[in-house]
Amino acid sequence: MASERASQSSGASTPTHEPAMPPIAAHHGAHIAHQAKRQALHWFTLRRSTSSLEQMGVGEKKRGLVLVSQKHTPVFPVWRIVLVTVGGSINSSFLIAGGITIMFGGPGGALISYILSIIVLYTVMTSLMEVGSRMPASVPYYMYGTRVLGQTVGVALAWSYWLVWIALLVYEMVAGGFIIQFWLPSVDRAVWCLLLFLSCVTIVIVDSRLYSPIESTLTLFTIAALVAGIIVGSLTAAGKLGDHKRGFETWQTDDGPVLNGIVGVIGASIFANFSVQGAEAGAIMALKSPSRYSRRMTPIVICSVLAVLLLPSIFVTGLILSYSDPWFDKDTFDSADGSSLTYVFEAAKIMPAAHVINTILLISAILDCCVSLYIATTIIQDLADHKLAPSILQSPKDRDHALSPYSLGLCCMVGLGVWALTYIRETGGFVLLGGVIGISGVIMWSSISIMHFVVRWSKRFRHKGDENEYRSWLFPVGPLVCLVFELGVLTGLFYILAWVGFDINIFLFETLGLFIFIALIIIAAVAQHFGY
């Protein structure tokens, strides 16, 4: 599937005119789905570790948390929370979509967009921690809306979250087919998609606890690859590797380091925002810690580590990859051929890098497919346990079986149905999946900020003397900054639509997620009115 990259020029291209903004749907929809997978890792690890400790008899379940011994030792230390959170953010979401920010905003605009996204991520994490500290521990964080924003909106948010995981399951199936075709282009992608799906169902049924250690190991390899990319890219820009010294050529073009001004920054922020979305779920894991210091420091450490890894990487990539490079003319970016890290290694004349990156992407796709199926199943079980879904889908009473066969079967059938639609119209369906997932992420961040305002100002959420209560020091600036940023992202999406001219595929890509969420609100309101 991977097309051969056009021959790169001997130096950075320096156009004398301002290029038109490329259409967003062709490149954007194929990558933004990766952002939500981080949430799966945290929730998955939390549920499985809790179940394991209870079965071993070393913990006591109290208020929904596992408390080990009388000292209330936290199940997850800060280093592990940081590892799984950062690992999710720098897997396929950044390896694939990181370089595309340069196409929209130039090297300077890409760097600014990631700085803004990490700052907003920190505000979201502090908001989510304050909201979570005032919620019953038995309520999953994707159901906080039912307690804060009302039953109708809260139910719509919860069901929207479930649909996101179904879409992610399908996305990873299709992405896995694309990645394998990098090596075997003659075999139909449907074969690889179905084999990948069957493998993931088997893993989830047999022992889904294998995901956590495998993902942690993959994270270390990914971090090592990213650090190696920063070092190799720096040497390449300095002329120690590759065919010539590049220096700051890409920053000294006629258009300057920031392409298209504020519009370019907004376009780049769309990708940067989606690359770090989902890392806020690490805040929920941090709330398990009995130490106030740990709860305060976890968001700071997560965002600092992301800044140390992502910002130098995007800066070095911007020194080597010009926004006008023919590398951006390819049809798809869903394998190693579309990774900016591969481009950096190839510029340094290290050619086998594409196969290494593609292997990392394939393993990541398999694991993400497993965890998407697992999380979708547990979400529908939680909804049934809270009487928001049919009772037949409730969690099994037998603790030896964490997943209900009815819930698992429902998720498999819905996932295969959605995959069949994407197979009929592969390109359009794949893009729409990405749009639904991306817009849902924007809705989730915005709802967290709104819930923060409600929780802080409403008397019914004040619990005096609660030692576990967390108060964000950024309030009200933090949630306000998040809302403004997300509004800017949505505005940028529609502005780009006006920029390139109306196209029905781009319009649906940008609005289908909103339409689905509105439809869920209407359905929830009708169901509540009739007493369901």
Side-chain angles (χ1 to χ4, degrees), residues 181-261:
Q181 277 207 325
F182 179 83
W183 292 304
L184 301 170
S186 60
V187 181
D188 194 323
R189 279 190 290 268
V191 175
W192 303 122
C193 292
L194 293 176
L195 287 177
L196 177 64
F197 177 76
L198 291 176
S199 301
C200 292
V201 172
T202 302
I203 293 174
V204 169
I205 292 176
V206 173
D207 192 354
S208 52
R209 282 171 291 186
L210 291 174
Y211 180 87
S212 182
I214 294 176
E215 175 70 9
S216 298
T217 303
L218 177 65
T219 294
L220 295 177
F221 279 110
T222 307
I223 292 176
L226 191 63
V227 172
I230 295 173
I231 297 173
V232 170
S234 301
L235 294 175
T236 303
K240 304 299 182 181
L241 296 175
D243 51 11
H244 73 288
K245 181 179 179 179
R246 300 167 187 265
F248 285 86
E249 291 176 349
T250 57
W251 287 66
Q252 298 170 349
T253 63
D254 293 340
D255 296 297
V258 180
L259 179 65
N260 296 316

Side-chain angles (χ1 to χ4, degrees), residues 5 75 80 176 201 256 267 360 385 399 421 443 445:
R5 179 171 63 87
V75 175
R80 186 176 180 186
V201 172
I360 293 176
D385 291 342
R399 287 189 176 184
L421 294 177
I443 294 173
W445 272 21

Side-chain angles (χ1 to χ4, degrees), residues 154-386:
V155 170
L157 283 171
W159 275 96
S160 176
Y161 196 64
W162 178 73
L163 290 176
V164 164
W165 286 115
I166 294 296
L168 270 170
L169 170 64
V170 178
Y171 182 92
E172 296 298 343
M173 289 172 57
V174 179
F178 278 117
I179 292 169
I180 296 176
Q181 277 207 325
F182 179 83
W183 292 304
L184 301 170
S186 60
V187 181
D188 194 323
R189 279 190 290 268
V191 175
W192 303 122
C193 292
L194 293 176
L195 287 177
L196 177 64
F197 177 76
L198 291 176
S199 301
C200 292
V201 172
T202 302
I203 293 174
V204 169
I205 292 176
V206 173
D207 192 354
S208 52
R209 282 171 291 186
L210 291 174
Y211 180 87
S212 182
I214 294 176
E215 175 70 9
S216 298
T217 303
L218 177 65
T219 294
L220 295 177
F221 279 110
T222 307
I223 292 176
L226 191 63
V227 172
I230 295 173
I231 297 173
V232 170
S234 301
L235 294 175
T236 303
K240 304 299 182 181
L241 296 175
D243 51 11
H244 73 288
K245 181 179 179 179
R246 300 167 187 265
F248 285 86
E249 291 176 349
T250 57
W251 287 66
Q252 298 170 349
T253 63
D254 293 340
D255 296 297
V258 180
L259 179 65
N260 296 316
I262 186 64
V263 176
V265 174
I266 291 176
S269 295
I270 295 170
F271 292 92
N273 186 43
F274 292 139
S275 292
V276 300
Q277 274 183 349
E280 73 279 359
I284 298 300
M285 296 176 69
L287 282 177
K288 288 177 63 64
S289 173
S291 169
R292 288 179 177 269
Y293 179 77
S294 297
R295 293 198 293 269
R296 289 284 179 187
M297 289 303 299
T298 298
I300 297 176
V301 173
I302 289 175
C303 293
S304 298
V305 173
L306 284 175
V308 168
L309 291 174
L310 299 188
L311 297 185
S313 179
I314 202 67
F315 173 74
V316 170
T317 302
L319 294 178
I320 299 174
L321 180 60
S322 171
Y323 60 81
S324 59
D325 195 283
W327 181 79
F328 289 114
D329 295 337
K330 55 173 65 19
D331 296 327
T332 181
F333 289 78
D334 289 297
S335 69
D337 196 44
S339 171
S340 58
L341 188 60
T342 301
Y343 183 95
V344 170
F345 280 106
E346 289 181 349
K349 306 302 181 183
I350 305 177
M351 304 311 295
H355 297 283
V356 176
I357 300 301
N358 206 59
T359 302
I360 293 176
L361 294 176
L362 177 59
I363 297 174
S364 180
I366 295 173
L367 295 175
D368 294 336
C369 188
C370 293
V371 82
S372 298
L373 177 60
Y374 181 87
I375 297 303
T377 305
T378 57
I379 288 175
I380 198 67
Q381 289 180 180
D382 288 337
L383 291 174
D385 291 342
H386 288 81

